[in-house]
Amino acid sequence: MILIALKRLRGERTDASAYHLLSGKRSSQTITDAKWFQSKDLFGALGKLNKSKFEHITASFYQRGWLEAGGVPGVEASAAIEPWEKILEEAGFDGWAYRDMGGKFWRRIALLIQTLSHLYQQKKQFVPIIQDVSAQEWVKRKLAVWGAERYSAMNRLYEEIKGCLHELKEIQAFIFVYKLTGAETLGKTTEQIARIQGMEKAEIEYLFLGTVHTLIKKAESRPGTVLYECLDAVGNSQLTVTAEKTLDFINRGLSLEEIARARRLKESTIEDHFVEIAGEVEGFSIDDLVPTKQQEAIRRVAASLDTFKLKALKEKLGGEVTYFAIRLALAKGGEKGERKNRSAE
């Protein structure tokens, strides 16, 4: 996973950037990197990885000769990670879109299934597998709304989940079902499943979350299903909390400088928020900050050089174009879909 992250970044970012991407750091820069380098499927993929372990692993890669100058995987390393790239492509993991939804969605489903299973067998007393109070209250409200239709909803939920699991890899269906708790079955932990399968905990967790994210994606497109009812009606903001606050000030008509003063933050920090907002909020215009012709020039140069290195772009564009303008133009231009993720030559 670390090697894949470094390969995606192509030597245009530091090793630390790969760590922030994999750990899911909620900063404007990391979110921007996830988008620019087409790595949304890596954002938060190793949320429990600590910095010291990451540094120890990358150091061993350099010692083996797997990483070349600039942190780019060499030929041997690139060949070694090919099977894993296939796994990422098929797993359905999307930490970018569902970083805040996955846990809540799973807790609701797991507790709902456990509760319905016990009620169906006339077992009203049981210890909930999910101790989250908000999830428990949600299940109580849902059962009250369904009333006598609860078992009909149970059957529908079974069919909906079964249909989704059939579309995934068999190992993912296995992991998901083994985690479920019912009236007569206790769900297994990630560690237990890892031992059964002879796999790493991180791999089990990634595949499991990929399954949860796939269920969420299916649910979002299917109003009227039980899975859809398990979602939050408010949706999932793609902005960090601090960028959301800056957007609120923008909507009030304040300039970048005024927002910085009002929030008592550095202008460079507010610039980060502007870049994040430009990339994530549809309809947000940067024309007042970067002239249209300059935006086009920036994107044209980025495409011709095939790079997101800000220094290289600025040198090519000349002194009149600021780093802020480059970042805004690239963010608003979105991902360069025609560009393939590959190791730098």
Side-chain angles (χ1 to χ4, degrees):
M1 298 292 279
I2 293 172
L3 286 169
I4 291 173
L6 291 169
K7 180 181 179 180
R8 298 271 185 90
L9 295 175
R10 306 188 337 152
E12 298 185 15
R13 295 291 187 269
T14 63
D15 291 355
S17 297
Y19 172 72
H20 294 321
L21 177 65
L22 290 168
S23 62
K25 182 179 180 180
R26 299 180 187 183
S27 69
S28 297
Q29 184 59 57
T30 305
I31 290 175
T32 301
D33 284 346
K35 183 174 183 179
W36 288 358
F37 293 97
Q38 298 172 309
S39 295
K40 297 177 181 179
D41 56 348
L42 290 176
F43 189 84
L46 297 176
K48 297 178 182 178
L49 179 66
N50 62 57
K51 187 70 178 293
S52 61
K53 185 173 183 179
F54 171 85
E55 291 174 343
H56 175 75
I57 292 171
T58 51
S60 71
F61 289 157
Y62 282 108
Q63 291 172 358
R64 296 181 198 177
W66 280 18
L67 290 178
E68 299 175 353
V72 179
V75 176
E76 183 181 356
S78 295
I81 62 179
E82 280 184 7
W84 260 98
E85 290 179 307
K86 185 68 173 176
I87 290 174
L88 262 65
E89 183 180 329
E90 299 176 346
F93 182 93
D94 192 344
W96 168 275
Y98 305 125
R99 60 186 182 271
D100 296 323
M101 295 177 67
K104 180 182 290 186
F105 185 76
W106 160 249
R107 289 191 293 273
R108 288 179 175 183
I109 288 179
L111 185 57
L112 183 60
I113 289 174
Q114 181 192 18
T115 304
L116 288 170
S117 175
H118 278 82
L119 292 178
Y120 185 73
Q121 296 194 32
Q122 305 298 313
K123 298 178 179 179
K124 296 185 177 181
Q125 298 294 325
F126 64 91
V127 178
I129 194 68
I130 302 297
Q131 296 296 312
D132 179 29
V133 175
S134 63
Q136 293 176 1
E137 292 176 347
W138 180 87
V139 169
K140 290 177 183 178
R141 291 195 301 271
K142 190 57 62 179
L143 292 175
V145 171
W146 285 337
E149 299 296 319
R150 62 179 60 169
Y151 300 124
S152 172
M154 179 181 71
N155 290 328
R156 286 165 51 208
L157 179 60
Y158 170 80
E159 292 296 336
E160 291 166 15
I161 292 178
K162 184 176 74 170
C164 290
L165 295 182
H166 272 303
E167 298 176 15
L168 291 166
K169 296 170 69 69
E170 184 177 357
I171 182 62
Q172 288 184 264
F174 176 92
I175 294 169
F176 185 85
V177 173
Y178 255 54
K179 277 184 166 285
L180 294 173
T181 292
E184 299 176 352
T185 305
L186 181 63
K188 296 188 181 301
T189 65
T190 300
E191 292 82 358
Q192 290 172 328
I193 299 174
R195 285 198 296 270
I196 292 171
Q197 291 297 310
M199 298 163 67
E200 291 187 45
K201 278 176 55 180
E203 186 175 2
I204 296 295
E205 189 68 14
Y206 184 83
L207 293 172
F208 168 68
L209 289 175
T211 304
V212 173
H213 294 172
T214 299
L215 288 173
I216 294 175
K217 190 172 183 179
K218 293 284 186 183
E220 288 177 330
S221 64
R222 298 176 182 176
T225 61
V226 179
L227 284 175
Y228 184 83
E229 292 186 52
C230 294
L231 297 172
D232 270 330
V234 296
N236 182 45
S237 174
Q238 296 300 304
L239 296 175
T240 57
V241 174
T242 187
E244 283 271 18
K245 292 179 180 178
T246 292
L247 179 58
D248 182 53
F249 280 104
I250 293 173
N251 291 334
R252 296 185 206 173
L254 274 69
S255 67
L256 189 154
E257 294 78 11
E258 290 171 334
I259 295 171
R261 287 197 295 272
R263 297 198 60 191
R264 298 181 181 179
L265 295 172
K266 295 179 180 178
E267 288 189 13
S268 59
T269 301
I270 303 301
E271 286 182 356
D272 286 343
H273 298 166
F274 268 73
V275 172
E276 183 182 341
I277 293 165
E280 292 305 310
V281 178
E282 189 175 352
F284 179 78
S285 176
I286 64 170
D287 293 350
D288 291 340
L289 297 165
V290 187
T292 304
K293 288 186 177 181
Q294 192 176 92
Q295 293 178 42
E296 294 172 352
I298 292 169
R299 293 172 193 139
R300 188 165 55 249
V301 169
S304 65
L305 296 180
D306 191 24
T307 185
F308 285 127
K309 279 188 173 181
L310 300 181
K311 184 177 180 180
L313 294 175
K314 193 172 190 312
E315 288 176 352
K316 184 70 175 179
L317 289 161
E320 294 182 1
V321 181
T322 66
Y323 282 114
F324 182 44
I326 295 171
R327 294 173 65 205
L328 279 174
L330 293 178
K332 201 60 189 173
E335 297 176 15
K336 293 160 69 177
E338 75 283 358
R339 193 183 83 176
K340 303 295 183 182
N341 283 312
R342 62 184 185 278
S343 178
E345 295 294 334

